[in-house]
Amino acid sequence: FHVVIVAFIKSLDALFLLMFFLVIGLVFFSSIIYFAEQTQSKFDRDLGCWVYTDASNDPGKISPYQSIPHSIWWCIVTMTTVGYGDTFPITPLGKAVAGCTMIFGLLLLAFPVGVLGAKFSEQFEAEKAEVRKRKLQSRMKDH
């Protein structure tokens, strides 16, 4: 367990970088999907929300992308590959943005796996070397 903790601590720089890019990606893709889905929506003053127009695949439906903060939920679910299916784009431009968001999320999540794996391997080898060194020292003392 000690090896995992030390490897994690040695990977903190990469994990902070991951969090930075995650936040940047969330803001960027949430903004893009919001504007992409508004290409086939109009603001209904009576309802006080964005509604898909007749040009869309789902006319009259209230858009789940009412604002950029509303879009962040979709972005988190998409980037982390959870994909609940509760919100999804219906415009062609929105679907293209969704594809880019998925790829970005996969690449972003793959990055720390490699870093953590390398740090774990380094720490594991260092621990094995330390155990060998202690055994050798104890044998030397015994003779």
Side-chain angles (χ1 to χ4, degrees), residues 78-118:
T78 302
M79 285 176 70
T80 58
T81 69
V82 173
Y84 288 125
D86 56 345
T87 55
F88 50 89
I90 64 168
T91 65
L93 187 56
K95 290 175 182 178
V97 171
C100 293
T101 305
M102 288 180 228
I103 292 169
F104 180 80
L106 287 171
L107 293 174
L108 189 68
L109 294 175
F111 170 68
V113 171
V115 172
L116 279 171

Side-chain angles (χ1 to χ4, degrees), residues 43-90:
F43 191 78
D44 187 319
R45 298 209 184 274
D46 295 332
L47 294 174
C49 59
W50 290 93
V51 178
Y52 288 115
T53 62
D54 292 336
S56 72
N57 293 340
D58 211 351
K61 179 184 172 200
I62 295 173
S63 172
Y65 308 98
Q66 294 296 315
S67 66
I68 293 171
H70 279 103
S71 301
I72 288 176
W73 169 252
W74 169 85
C75 196
I76 291 170
V77 169
T78 302
M79 285 176 70
T80 58
T81 69
V82 173
Y84 288 125
D86 56 345
T87 55
F88 50 89
I90 64 168

